[in-house]
Amino acid sequence: MADVSMDTIVSLCKRRGFIFPSSEIYGGFGSTWDYGPLGVELKRNIKEAWWRSMVQVRNDVVGLDASILMHPTVWVASGHVASFQDPMVDCKVCKQRFRADEVAGNRCPNCGGELTEARMFNLMFKTFVGPVEDEASVAYLRPETAQGIFVNFLNVQMTSRKKIPFGIAQIGKAFRNEITPGNFIFRTREFEQMELEFFVKPGTDEAWYHYWLEERMNWYRRLGIRPERLRLRHHSREELAHYSRATADIEFLFPMGWAELEGIANRGDYDLGRHSQFSGRDISYFDDETGERYIPYVIEPSAGVDRSLLAFLVNAYDEEPDKEGVRVVLRLHKMLAPYKVAVLPLSKRPPLVELARKVEALLRPHFMVTYDDTQSIGRRYRRQDEIGTPYCVTIDFQSLEDNAVTIRDRDTMEQIRVPIPELVDTLSHMLKWED
Ligand code: GAP
């Protein structure tokens, strides 16, 4: 497997329509990115894979889609108004801004100018709700999806009638006014999270914490992340966030080095306890089997969609020499690949194209399909390899006689011949989920 630079990934993403700089015709807008036709499919597939393993195949997790704007007291109760801040320094000469913990000494890493004293900077985006822009109308864009889950604990528990232990899962946008965004989509100010809050009985929290560490590592492994690029890092006591009893990061070896992909935390009863206190509502759980009432503890696996997407791209990128120079292959897990099948007529002659269009129409209701009839077949295979399409279906002159087509496998490059009436079943079998 090739080691790949961030520049190569950024350029592939731009060239093939995975990710574009946002507002590009206006010169871009710092650290904001738009997902193109292939990127949006990859992103949907990652979210689908997460939802499937965290919600669909389990009987102890239900979903939620809470709003981004929430009551401002939520962020006081959660501790974000007081504690969600980074120390920031400014360069007195070039005016560039840095996180104080990321620069050594008091000289600007950019121009060598003198830096200001460190000031605390709250990372939440502030906005105003309604026409009057005063203190009373301040609201925040949520900096994590988690709080939407905590404030809905009673609603979800009562309506779903789930008993502890159970979890609530959510995927959605979060916003942080990061001082130093960067490394492509690794750290941005607008991003998506996939979060599970798993509520357990106090005393069972440690066992569940370890359970979720293992589950989440396995999720990345099952989706093809190579073991040598994945590791678990336990936080030291000093490093723990204000709400956390224990935290570990799942880290991935990105082109810029090891960095956090997902955080798994034992949040204890901090969040439900604080929301009980600030809202005046009793957010506790009554265990009707033991007759006990308690505030559940929470284990939280919290992953970034965009970071996972970057990791899956870096992990999948491969190059190998071939007759034309270099063959670039994205060895994406087939369930993540943007297109599952490419339909390729061997030539542009009308009877072949006609049959190829029929095959395309046959497949479209079942799979994400792309169609390509330009340039040589070798070139077209390379184009599909480069975007990770697991299967190419080729329609050749013999297809007109035997009503069969060839399926080519991206990774083995092996080809099998399949009658057209059996094509949907064969591909469905090849593209079946394996949990
Ligand atoms: N609710 C807990 C929480 O939000 P976090 O470690 O701050 O924990 C969880 O964030 C995940 O969200 C991270 O592991 C990362 O994947 C993603 N994430 C956080 N900040 C991000 C940013 N600025 N850009 C992209 N992803 C980010």
Side-chain angles (χ1 to χ4, degrees):
M1 278 288 191
D3 258 345
V4 60
S5 71
M6 193 71 96
D7 285 348
T8 306
I9 293 291
V10 174
S11 121
L12 173 72
C13 284
K14 173 90 201 293
R15 185 160 37 83
R16 298 307 312 272
F18 281 92
I19 301 169
F20 311 118
S22 171
S23 322
E24 196 183 10
I25 58 169
Y26 289 99
F29 187 60
S31 300
T32 50
W33 302 92
D34 296 341
Y35 289 83
L38 296 186
V40 74
E41 295 302 331
L42 177 55
K43 205 178 191 204
R44 281 164 50 98
N45 294 341
I46 291 170
K47 291 191 275 188
E48 179 58 32
W50 187 88
W51 197 263
R52 183 181 164 84
S53 85
M54 303 298 265
V55 183
Q56 186 184 332
V57 301
R58 303 186 64 97
N59 64 7
D60 56 0
V61 177
V62 289
L64 180 75
D65 186 5
S67 65
I68 288 172
L69 295 173
M70 301 174 74
H71 194 291
T73 310
V74 167
W75 307 110
V76 181
S78 70
H80 283 83
V81 169
S83 313
F84 196 53
Q85 41 197 10
D86 279 339
M88 173 185 80
V89 289
D90 290 297
C91 173
K92 290 180 181 170
V93 181
C94 72
K95 308 292 178 211
Q96 202 158 321
R97 201 156 259 197
F98 304 95
R99 262 170 59 174
D101 53 350
E102 285 179 351
V103 289
N106 74 336
R107 289 280 152 196
C108 170
N110 186 38
C111 73
E114 197 188 335
L115 296 173
T116 59
E117 288 290 308
R119 288 177 291 139
M120 292 314 273
F121 175 76
N122 195 295
L123 300 184
M124 281 196 294
F125 275 102
K126 251 186 195 174
T127 187
F128 300 96
V129 172
V132 184
E133 297 195 357
D134 61 10
E135 270 307 301
S137 60
V138 164
Y140 301 96
L141 302 188
R142 66 180 177 199
E144 61 172 15
T145 60
Q147 298 303 324
I149 296 179
F150 297 131
V151 301
N152 275 295
F153 173 77
L154 292 176
N155 284 336
V156 175
Q157 196 272 321
M158 282 170 187
T159 53
S160 66
R161 298 194 293 124
K162 287 282 174 206
K163 290 192 188 313
I164 291 234
F166 81 96
I168 305 176
Q170 176 166 217
I171 300 178
K173 289 251 175 169
F175 302 82
R176 296 182 188 176
N177 201 359
E178 300 280 3
I179 299 167
T180 46
N183 283 317
F184 193 29
I185 53 169
F186 177 81
R187 179 171 287 112
T188 51
R189 297 191 172 105
E190 173 182 347
F191 54 95
E192 251 181 305
Q193 290 188 314
M194 306 183 279
E195 297 201 296
L196 170 70
E197 306 302 329
F198 197 77
F199 301 96
V200 304
K201 186 174 177 182
T204 65
D205 48 309
E206 252 188 72
W208 278 110
Y209 174 66
H210 290 286
Y211 166 86
W212 280 109
L213 292 184
E214 192 54 32
E215 268 300 290
R216 294 304 303 147
M217 285 290 278
N218 283 339
W219 185 78
Y220 292 103
R221 290 184 192 125
R222 282 201 303 273
L223 288 171
I225 298 285
R226 285 173 276 146
E228 67 274 19
R229 283 197 170 266
L230 199 66
R231 73 179 186 193
L232 200 58
R233 189 181 68 79
H234 295 276
H235 284 209
S236 64
R237 195 174 277 273
E238 299 74 56
E239 217 184 326
L240 292 180
H242 60 275
Y243 52 74
S244 174
R245 300 165 68 89
T247 297
D249 290 342
I250 296 181
E251 294 189 334
F252 177 78
L253 184 55
F254 287 96
M256 69 281 185
W258 287 98
E260 177 186 340
L261 198 51
E262 165 162 354
I264 296 146
N266 179 348
R267 297 176 76 123
D269 61 2
Y270 177 83
D271 302 276
L272 294 186
R274 294 276 291 187
H275 287 304
S276 286
Q277 189 189 329
F278 280 74
S279 67
R281 294 281 300 275
D282 174 13
I283 313 182
S284 61
Y285 174 80
F286 180 70
D287 188 330
D288 48 19
E289 271 165 34
T290 63
E292 290 170 277
R293 179 172 284 284
Y294 56 82
I295 296 185
Y297 277 20
V298 178
I299 309 300
E300 176 195 66
S302 171
V305 178
D306 314 79
R307 268 188 206 180
S308 306
L309 189 144
L310 181 59
F312 283 120
L313 282 175
V314 167
N315 182 76
Y317 187 91
D318 197 13
E319 288 179 355
E320 57 186 33
D322 75 351
K323 282 181 284 178
E324 289 165 38
V326 182
R327 173 181 178 239
V328 173
V329 194
L330 269 191
R331 299 195 191 279
L332 286 170
H333 189 285
K334 57 192 175 189
M335 301 324 288
L336 298 185
Y339 293 125
K340 306 296 182 228
V341 187
V343 175
L344 314 173
L346 198 62
S347 101
K348 267 188 162 171
R349 298 251 195 92
L352 272 197
V353 167
E354 217 170 273
L355 183 58
R357 287 293 186 191
K358 275 193 192 144
V359 170
E360 181 197 2
L362 180 74
L363 299 180
R364 272 206 185 273
H366 304 275
F367 317 103
M368 277 304 297
V369 170
T370 181
Y371 177 93
D372 188 3
D373 62 13
T374 55
Q375 298 188 308
S376 75
I377 191 72
R379 277 278 179 85
R380 282 182 276 157
Y381 283 148
R382 294 293 173 271
R383 272 208 290 273
Q384 295 305 322
D385 291 342
E386 199 187 33
I387 60 171
T389 309
Y391 300 113
C392 289
V393 167
T394 311
I395 292 90
D396 54 26
F397 289 100
Q398 208 191 323
S399 306
L400 299 171
E401 321 260 301
D402 64 3
N403 204 33
V405 293
T406 302
I407 303 177
R408 169 196 180 264
D409 183 296
R410 175 196 73 197
D411 295 326
T412 62
M413 293 200 272
E414 272 169 20
Q415 309 203 353
I416 54 167
R417 194 90 186 154
V418 179
I420 292 175
E422 290 169 26
L423 190 55
V424 169
D425 280 352
T426 307
L427 286 167
S428 298
H429 183 72
M430 291 164 122
L431 288 162
K432 203 162 66 78
W433 263 107
E434 283 150 19
D435 290 304

